[in-house]
Amino acid sequence: KTAYTLLEDERGNPSPFSQAMDRRKAFSLLLRIYNDEDDVDDPSASVEPSMRVGGILPLPPPDNDTSPKKGGRSSFGIGTTNEKVSFEKEVEKIEALTQFTGPLKFDNSNLCNDDELMKAACLANSLLRVSSLLEGQLRNRAGTWEKSVSAVRDLQSAIKTIRFHGLRVAKFCRAEILVQTAKKMSEICMSSVLVAEDAVRLPSCVNNLGEYLTTSSDNIREAGGNAIAAHSFSSLEQYIPLFLIQTARIIAEGTKPTTMNGIESLDRTGSVLYRDLKGATSFENSFWDEDAAAHSFEQSAVFVNLMEISSKDLEDHYRNNPTQFSDGDYELMFKFNGPRRRGDFRRFNLLKSKMKTEKRMG
């Protein structure tokens, strides 16, 4: 599967992206949830055979997880400076996804269908649950095995192996959701709605993505519990605006004229996906970061808005916010022929020189 090629090389060694994923707060929270097992002998943990998922008999989520259908939100805040840096480092490792220049071409056979994603979520939860239960049993009975050091060591090694593969599959679920999201959003730049003259319409791929997020959230929570779902959807509130900004760059670099309706469609896309993603992550112990979401979606909305304003307004925006976007992005916007302006990158260079002169003169 494509998701595994992002996570591992041909020999099964972890990729730089996989290693960056390990340093994310969401990954630490996932570990904490499965390591906080309090009652490993809970008799209510039995599962009826009729609850099999794709042939796999799932174990229930950990006790501090919640029912898939239960509402509410956790107070997990992951909008710290360190988390911002770790997100940027993660993005650097998957430029093929974040810097697409057109529709991403992934064969459907290399992507998961609903049933395969549910199996993966079920397997991840079950492996992590088993490793946690075994570790708890080992701790509780360690004193009775003093003469069996080698047996304890072998069991500890087996537990680590089980946990390793559980985390491996959990990371696969997150990578799969990210790949599917990038693929669908990369199709926006080819949509006919961008040149529509008569009305503002959403690209069909945006509606498809909203449905995918909702369905996948329900499926993963049903098969693997809230913790696996929370990790799988973590940071999408940052990735989706990033994909939207990349889409705007592609449109600005293109030769096809973009109408005001087309830009409004792009702006509405951000609002719709924010609503859909927030709905898909509205479950207890979700890793949704409200601050990161607000900042990221606001940034993408501002960037899209730069496409429709006049040259004078664009100059004013750069004067007031010269570091909000890179010089490359600002230069691209000054080159762009929008509905209300003719592109001229020389205006950007002149404005930069003028601002430097003004700064030197105090």
Side-chain angles (χ1 to χ4, degrees):
K1 297 294 184 180
T2 299
Y4 266 135
T5 65
L6 290 178
L7 296 170
E8 301 175 355
D9 62 20
E10 294 180 354
R11 296 182 178 180
N13 299 317
S15 68
F17 173 59
S18 178
Q19 294 170 359
M21 195 183 290
D22 291 345
R23 293 188 286 272
R24 300 302 306 279
K25 184 68 175 289
F27 188 75
S28 299
L29 292 171
L30 181 69
L31 289 175
R32 192 175 77 188
I33 288 173
Y34 280 97
N35 288 340
D36 283 349
E37 302 273 4
D38 294 323
D39 186 4
V40 295
D41 290 320
D42 182 4
S44 65
S46 61
V47 181
E48 294 298 325
S50 61
M51 294 177 64
R52 289 180 182 271
V53 177
I56 299 175
L57 181 62
L59 288 176
D63 295 335
N64 52 353
D65 200 337
T66 53
S67 166
K69 303 302 181 184
K70 189 173 181 178
R73 240 174 236 278
S74 75
S75 59
F76 290 139
I78 58 177
T80 63
T81 300
N82 288 341
E83 181 63 11
K84 181 176 182 294
V85 172
S86 65
F87 171 71
E88 292 172 350
K89 290 186 178 298
E90 186 178 81
V91 169
E92 291 174 2
K93 310 304 181 185
I94 48 171
E95 286 190 353
L97 287 185
T98 59
Q99 300 297 319
F100 53 80
T101 56
L104 293 170
K105 303 295 185 182
F106 295 130
D107 192 294
N108 286 336
S109 64
N110 293 327
L111 300 174
C112 286
N113 57 36
D114 291 346
D115 187 54
E116 290 170 332
L117 186 59
M118 289 182 74
K119 287 181 181 179
C122 174
L123 182 59
N125 171 66
S126 296
L127 290 173
L128 290 172
R129 175 75 164 154
V130 165
S131 67
S132 183
L133 293 171
L134 289 175
E135 193 168 58
Q137 293 281 13
L138 185 61
R139 283 198 304 265
N140 293 339
R141 302 178 184 180
T144 65
W145 292 0
E146 293 177 355
K147 297 181 181 180
S148 306
V149 177
S150 61
V152 172
R153 189 180 297 116
D154 289 343
L155 183 54
Q156 288 174 331
S157 177
I159 291 171
K160 287 180 180 179
T161 300
I162 295 170
R163 177 179 289 112
F164 168 79
H165 287 290
L167 293 173
R168 180 171 173 252
V169 182
K171 289 160 72 173
F172 169 81
C173 291
R174 179 172 179 240
E176 176 67 24
I177 295 293
L178 190 57
V179 168
Q180 294 271 13
T181 301
K183 179 180 183 297
K184 289 174 171 56
M185 290 198 67
S186 71
E187 298 168 3
I188 295 175
C189 60
M190 299 297 292
S191 176
S192 61
V193 304
L194 299 174
V195 295
E197 296 279 2
D198 56 333
V200 176
R201 290 184 291 271
L202 282 180
S204 59
C205 56
V206 174
N207 293 322
N208 293 339
L209 176 56
E211 293 174 4
Y212 173 78
L213 294 174
T214 300
T215 301
S216 297
S217 175
D218 290 343
N219 288 342
I220 293 175
R221 286 184 290 138
E222 179 182 340
N226 285 20
I228 299 299
H231 182 259
S232 299
F233 279 76
S234 62
S235 294
L236 277 187
E237 67 271 24
Q238 293 169 285
Y239 274 106
I240 286 178
L242 187 67
F243 295 149
L244 194 59
I245 287 176
Q246 182 61 17
T247 298
R249 291 189 186 115
I250 295 171
I251 295 170
E253 290 173 342
T255 56
K256 291 183 179 180
T258 306
T259 63
M260 187 64 76
N261 286 336
I263 296 174
E264 177 62 28
S265 171
L266 202 59
D267 182 61
R268 192 175 295 180
T269 291
S271 300
V272 169
L273 289 178
Y274 175 88
R275 179 201 66 197
D276 290 344
L277 178 60
K278 193 166 186 177
T281 55
S282 291
F283 52 87
E284 192 165 342
N285 288 351
S286 165
F287 296 167
W288 169 273
D289 186 340
E290 188 64 49
D291 292 338
H295 174 74
S296 300
F297 276 94
E298 181 182 5
Q299 286 288 94
S300 64
V302 171
F303 194 76
V304 170
N305 182 63
L306 294 181
M307 301 177 72
E308 68 174 75
I309 60 179
S310 65
S311 296
K312 169 100 173 38
D313 289 339
L314 181 58
E315 290 182 8
D316 290 343
H317 181 90
Y318 178 73
R319 273 187 173 277
N320 296 326
N321 309 275
T323 61
Q324 185 173 15
F325 303 106
S326 68
D327 276 2
D329 281 334
Y330 275 119
E331 183 174 343
L332 176 61
M333 284 299 158
F334 273 88
K335 288 180 180 178
F336 174 62
N337 287 315
R340 292 175 175 164
R341 67 175 186 265
R342 294 289 300 170
D344 186 354
F345 72 94
R346 292 173 299 179
R347 295 184 66 142
F348 176 60
N349 293 330
L350 289 172
L351 179 58
K352 282 182 64 178
S353 298
K354 186 176 180 180
M355 289 174 62
K356 288 180 181 178
T357 302
E358 292 171 351
K359 186 175 181 180
R360 285 198 301 267
M361 297 180 65

